Amino acid sequence: MVLLGPPGAGKGTQAARISDRLAVPAISTGDIFRANVAEQTELGRRAQRYMDAGEYVPDEVTNAMVRDRLGQSDATGGFLLDGYPRTADQVAELDGMLADAGQRLDAVVEITADTDEVVTRLLRRAAEQGRPDDTEVVIRRRLEVYAEQTAPLADLYAERDLLVQVDGIGEVDEVTDRIMTALEPRLG
Ligand code: AMP
C-alpha cells in the first residue's frame, strides 16, 4: 500500500504503526535519502540540495532507489510506501515495478490535514528534531510542491478505486484506528 498526505500530516508516525500491525516493512523515501545524506553516499550527495530547498529529488534518482529497495527480500510479501510516489512519473514507474514483480496495490491511504495544522506541527518538529528542511520558508515550499505535484495523485488513485481518505487531525492512536478501520475491507 501507499501512504499519501502533505508534509506534517503524520505519514511517518502512522507508517511505523501500520507496518507493525500488518507485519510488512514501511519504506520511507525521505528516511532513505536522509540516511544517505548522513553517510555522505553518492546518492546522498545527489539528493541533498533538493531536500534542503524543499524540492523533489529528480524522478530518475528516486525511482532507481525505490526499484532497488522493493527488490530486497523483505518486500516480497508486501510493503507500505511512505512518501512515494509523489509525481505522475513515479506513479507510472511504480506501476511498472509492481507489474514486473507480479504484485498490485491494495490501497492508497491519503492522510488529510489542513495547512495551518501541518505548518504548526512541522515548526514543532523543527524545534524538537532540528531537521534542516523544517524551516518556515522551506516548509512553505514543500507544501507548494506537494499541492502542485502530489495532491493530484489522489484523484488518479480514486479513479482506480484504490483511494481511502483518512482525517489526520486527532490523537495518534485515533488516526491509526481510523486507518486500520478504513483498510479492513481492502486487505481481505
Ligand atoms: P519526507 O521525509 O517524505 O518529507 O521527504 C523529505 C525530502 O526527501 C522531500 O522534501 C524531498 O526532497 C525528498 N523526497 C522524499 N521522497 C521523495 C520522492 N518520492 N520524490 C522526490 N523527492 C523525495
Side-chain angles (χ1 to χ4, degrees):
M1 55 175 279
V2 164
L3 263 188
L4 275 182
K11 289 192 300 300
T13 304
Q14 295 300 334
R17 298 169 141 241
I18 305 298
S19 141
D20 269 358
R21 301 235 192 148
L22 300 179
V24 294
I27 298 175
S28 156
T29 44
D31 283 351
I32 300 175
F33 281 133
R34 276 185 291 280
N36 277 275
V37 169
E39 288 162 24
Q40 299 197 321
T41 65
E42 176 61 28
L43 177 65
R45 277 193 291 274
R46 290 177 79 179
Q48 184 167 16
R49 65 190 161 101
Y50 299 101
M51 298 172 74
D52 287 348
E55 305 292 340
Y56 286 166
V57 176
D59 284 332
E60 69 270 19
V61 175
T62 308
N63 287 332
M65 177 180 91
V66 173
R67 186 175 277 278
D68 179 68
R69 178 65 187 86
L70 293 187
Q72 292 172 22
S73 56
D74 64 334
T76 51
F79 48 78
L80 191 170
L81 284 167
D82 159 17
Y84 183 93
R86 267 171 146 117
T87 66
D89 181 75
Q90 294 179 13
V91 170
E93 277 291 317
L94 177 61
D95 288 342
M97 293 178 217
L98 293 170
D100 289 349
Q103 292 173 313
R104 62 176 169 75
L105 289 178
D106 289 316
V108 174
V109 176
E110 181 184 25
I111 305 181
T112 60
D114 68 41
T115 304
D116 287 346
E117 172 72 18
V118 298
V119 171
T120 307
R121 288 189 193 179
L122 290 169
L123 289 171
R124 197 186 318 134
R125 184 172 74 186
E128 287 166 6
Q129 299 177 13
R131 240 178 81 163
D133 58 349
D134 279 342
T135 63
E136 184 145 10
V137 173
V138 178
I139 287 170
R140 298 273 172 208
R141 181 61 193 148
R142 283 160 62 210
L143 289 168
E144 252 172 39
V145 174
Y146 183 84
E148 282 164 16
Q149 299 203 47
T150 308
L153 306 185
D155 288 341
L156 193 153
Y157 283 123
E159 280 164 22
R160 298 187 190 181
D161 209 17
L162 285 171
L163 188 71
V164 176
Q165 286 178 308
V166 173
D167 180 3
I169 305 296
E171 294 300 321
V172 172
D173 281 341
E174 221 177 301
V175 177
T176 308
D177 287 345
R178 282 179 205 147
I179 296 174
M180 291 307 298
T181 305
L183 281 177
E184 237 162 60
R186 299 187 172 251
L187 297 178

